[in-house]
Amino acid sequence: MSNAAASYLLTNGPIWTGDPAQPWAQAIVVRGTDLAYVGTRDAADAFVDSGTELIDLRGRMCLPGFIDAHNHLASMALSKLGVNLSGIVGRDAMLAAIRDWVATQPSDAPLRGHAWMPDSFEERSPRREWLDEITGDRPMYLFSADAHDSWFNTAAMRAAGIGPDTPDPDPGTQYWVRDPDGTPTGHAVEAAATIPILVAQDLFSVSNVHAAQELTLRPTPAWGMTAYFEAGTIVGATSEDSRWVFEDLIAQDNAGTLPVRIVGSYWTRTPTDDPQAIADGLSRWHRELRSEHVAINTCKLWADGTFMSGGALLLTPCCGHASDDLGTMTFPAANIEAQIEAVQAAGFDMHIHIDGDGSARTVLDAYETVLGRRGDEGRRHVLAHNSMVDPSDINRYASMGIIANCTPLWGTDYNGQYRDIYTAMLGADRVEERLFPYGDLVRSGATVTYGSDIPGVDIPEIPPLIQIESLVTRCRPGHPEDLPLVARQRIGLHDALRGYTANGAYQLRLEHRTGTLRTGMAADLTVLGANLFGVDPHEIHSVPVLLTMMDGRITHDAR
C-alpha cells in the first residue's frame, strides 16, 4: 500500500455519495484522512492547493467504499483449500474428481477439499469408505459448500480419536452420522463435529491462518472494500481460541498494513455455553482488543445450521416428510433469549444466524420478548441470512428495528443447483412465497445489509460487485441465461448500493466515519471503471475496481 499524499481532488465523473441529502456530487477533495469537501466542481477550488493531486475520473464512477456486513475473511479461506467439487453431482463424478486431484499431490501433502453438497450424492450423505479407496491411510477431509458439514475418511477419524464410543458434541444438532453399531460414517454435521478433525490435522496453525488471509483479507481493497464485519473467526472449538487472531490483526493495524476496517465478534455456537460468560467474554474483548481500525462489539450466535441437512427449523415440513419432521435448531428458544438479554444488558449487539423460516420466527420472538422487557437501549441487533422468512414475519424487522443481513449470491440458482434443490425440498409455491425474500425486506422499510459470507461462497465470489449483480438480477453473475430465482425479489441498484455502504456502516456502528461521502467523513471510497447505472445489470460483476482509499490512504491502484 502506498503512502497517502496530502490531498486529492476527484472530479470529472459521476460521484454517488450515498447521502440522501446530496445523492450525487461533481467533486471530492480529500485532505489527510478525511473528506474536506463534497459538492460542485466550482466550489471545490476553494479547498485545493498546489499540493493537491488531481484524480481525473474520466467519466468513471466514484462511490463510498463497500462494507461487507457478514464475512469470515480472517480465517475461513481455510475451508476453501484442496480439490474444488463445486457443481459436481453424483457420487461417481465426485470420487473421480477427488481421485484425479489426489493423484497430483505429493505424498506428504495434506489431502482436503470443499464444495460438496448433501444433494450432490444420491444417498444425501457421504461415507468414509468411499474416500478410503482413494487415500488409503492418508487422512482426508472435505468441507461442504457452506462448511456446515464435512466429509472425512477413516484415517482422519482415527487421527482425531473419534470412534463408536465417542459422544456427539451436541447430540441431534452437531454430531457424526453413524452406522447401526455407532461407528461414524464419515459425515460430520455442523462445526462442533468437524473441528476435532481439523485440529488433528493442524489446519488452524498460525502459518495456515496467515496464508488464508492472503487469499481473503489482503485482496479486500482490490474488491473496493473498506470495512467488513468479522462474523466469527474460527480456529478452534471456542471463541477464546481465536483471540490470537485478533491480536495479530491489531498488530497489522498498528504496523500500517491492515487493508480494511474490521468490526469483530465474540461467538457462541453450543447451547451449553453460559450466556453471561459469553457476554463477559465479549465485554473483555471489547476493552482489550482494539486499535484504530479494529473493534469488537457484537456477539455472533448460530441459532441453527442449514435446512438442507435438517439443521434448521421449518414452519411446515419439507415435501415428502412427515408432518412432525420440521428440522431442528442448535439453540433452544430459551437459550437464545437469555443470550440476547445478557449481551444487551452488557451494552452490545447480537448477530444471529438462521436458515429456516421456523428458526427466523423463533429468533424474532426472542428479540421481541427481550425488547419488550428492556426496550431497545440503542441496540442494533441483526438476523443474518434470512434464507426463508414467512411473509407474516417480514414487517417485524422494521417494527422492532432488527437489521436484516442478507447473502445475495444464495438468492440465485447457485452452483446451478439451488433451484432444483429448493424446489424439490419446498415445492414451487413455497419457493416463490418465502425463499430469500430480500426484495420484500427492502420494501418493508427494514434496514437491510449484505455480506458474501465465505465459506458460504467461494473466494472468487466474495467481491461486492458480484453480490450486487446477484441482488439486482437474481441470476448467477456470468450466467445471464439463468432464470431468475424468485424474480420478484430483485431490488434496484440504489438499494443494493445503500445496503453495501451506508446501511453496512450503520450495522457496524461506523456511520459517523464511513458509509457515505459527506464533508468531514473519513476518505473511504472506491473508483470503478464504469458508471454502474449505465451498465447492463448482467455485466456489473465485470466492472473493474480502479482505485480504493481508506482514511485517505490509497490501498489499491489499478488506474
Side-chain angles (χ1 to χ4, degrees), residues 248-496:
D248 184 74
L249 293 171
I250 289 167
Q252 293 179 42
D253 193 23
N254 291 337
T257 59
L258 190 69
V260 64
R261 301 179 192 271
I262 301 175
V263 173
S265 60
Y266 191 95
W267 54 263
T268 173
R269 64 185 312 155
T270 303
T272 54
D273 288 343
D274 175 59
Q276 189 57 55
I278 295 297
D280 291 344
L282 172 57
S283 297
R284 186 171 60 255
W285 279 25
H286 177 74
R287 291 192 310 270
E288 298 173 359
L289 300 175
R290 56 173 54 246
S291 61
E292 184 178 3
H293 300 110
V294 178
I296 299 172
N297 60 22
T298 302
C299 174
K300 167 69 180 295
L301 181 148
W302 283 264
D304 66 6
T306 67
F307 79 85
M308 283 189 190
S309 57
L313 184 66
L314 302 183
L315 294 173
T316 52
C318 288
C319 298
H321 287 232
S323 60
D324 60 349
D325 184 6
L326 300 175
T328 187
M329 293 182 69
T330 308
F331 281 75
N335 296 56
I336 296 170
E337 181 183 325
Q339 192 63 76
I340 295 169
E341 178 119 35
V343 167
Q344 177 160 329
F348 299 105
D349 302 324
M350 288 295 303
H351 189 107
I352 301 181
H353 160 113
I354 57 95
D355 198 51
D357 52 3
S359 303
R361 179 168 293 175
T362 298
V363 176
L364 287 168
D365 288 347
Y367 277 140
E368 186 173 56
T369 298
V370 174
L371 294 172
R373 190 160 52 233
R374 302 186 61 93
D376 68 21
E377 297 178 301
R379 295 305 92 213
R380 300 178 186 179
H381 297 314
V382 179
L383 204 55
H385 305 311
N386 300 286
S387 307
M388 288 178 65
V389 182
D390 186 275
S392 66
D393 287 323
I394 292 290
N395 289 331
R396 299 177 70 189
Y397 293 75
S399 67
M400 288 191 285
I402 302 300
I403 296 168
N405 176 261
C406 301
T407 315
L409 196 56
W410 295 359
T412 71
D413 187 20
Y414 187 53
N415 284 340
Q417 294 176 273
Y418 268 27
R419 177 183 300 281
D420 288 345
I421 291 172
Y422 283 120
T423 301
M425 295 183 75
L426 301 173
D429 290 345
R430 224 182 332 173
V431 165
E432 181 68 23
E433 180 187 61
R434 64 187 62 197
L435 190 67
F436 302 111
Y438 301 161
D440 287 345
L441 286 164
V442 168
R443 290 184 287 272
S444 76
T447 299
V448 181
T449 64
Y450 304 108
S452 60
D453 188 33
I454 188 175
V457 301
D458 209 344
I459 294 169
E461 298 166 337
I462 294 172
L465 288 176
I466 287 176
Q467 304 295 321
I468 288 168
E469 179 175 323
S470 302
L471 287 167
V472 300
T473 67
R474 296 286 285 211
C475 296
R476 292 173 294 162
H479 293 269
E481 75 284 357
D482 275 1
L483 185 67
L485 185 64
V486 194
R488 70 181 185 85
Q489 298 295 354
R490 290 177 289 201
I491 67 170
L493 184 55
H494 276 288
D495 286 324

Side-chain angles (χ1 to χ4, degrees), residues 31-259:
R31 186 168 300 280
T33 62
D34 294 351
L35 300 175
Y37 174 77
V38 180
T40 66
R41 173 63 186 89
D42 290 343
D45 286 338
F47 297 87
V48 303
D49 56 30
S50 59
T52 300
E53 177 182 339
L54 173 65
I55 296 178
D56 187 348
L57 296 176
R58 292 184 289 176
R60 296 170 296 194
M61 185 179 187
C62 177
L63 68 163
F66 295 122
I67 299 173
D68 187 306
H70 183 112
N71 229 315
H72 304 268
L73 304 181
S75 68
M76 287 310 291
L78 293 170
S79 69
K80 302 300 180 182
L81 305 176
V83 59
N84 186 345
L85 303 176
S86 177
I88 300 176
V89 178
R91 179 182 15 149
D92 291 344
M94 281 274 180
L95 294 176
I98 294 168
R99 184 179 294 107
D100 290 346
W101 180 83
V102 168
T104 68
Q105 301 303 299
S107 60
D108 60 347
L111 300 182
R112 50 202 178 193
H114 61 97
W116 63 273
M117 301 174 68
D119 283 82
S120 301
F121 308 102
E122 296 83 355
E123 301 85 350
R124 297 204 79 250
S125 184
R127 293 193 63 88
R128 56 190 169 81
E129 296 93 343
W130 303 345
L131 294 176
D132 293 346
E133 294 176 4
I134 298 171
T135 61
D137 60 1
R138 296 174 66 185
M140 186 172 194
Y141 60 87
L142 302 101
F143 286 97
S144 65
D146 57 16
H148 278 265
D149 290 28
S150 67
W151 173 19
F152 53 89
N153 67 1
T154 300
M157 181 178 75
R158 289 173 176 164
I162 298 168
D165 299 323
T166 308
D168 288 328
D170 187 7
T173 57
Q174 302 189 82
Y175 59 93
W176 298 289
V177 178
R178 298 176 186 265
D179 284 326
D181 67 356
T183 303
T185 64
H187 181 182
V189 177
E190 289 299 324
T194 296
I195 285 174
I197 296 162
L198 307 180
V199 169
Q201 300 305 315
D202 199 27
L203 180 65
F204 300 132
S205 68
V206 173
S207 61
N208 280 347
V209 171
H210 283 166
Q213 291 176 0
E214 289 298 315
L215 298 174
T216 51
L217 193 63
R218 213 58 55 200
T220 49
W223 299 331
M225 201 182 299
T226 54
Y228 87 96
F229 173 62
E230 176 57 52
T233 301
I234 301 172
V235 295
T238 71
S239 195
E240 286 292 341
D241 292 325
S242 64
R243 181 184 175 102
W244 72 266
V245 179
F246 279 101
E247 291 172 342
D248 184 74
L249 293 171
I250 289 167
Q252 293 179 42
D253 193 23
N254 291 337
T257 59
L258 190 69

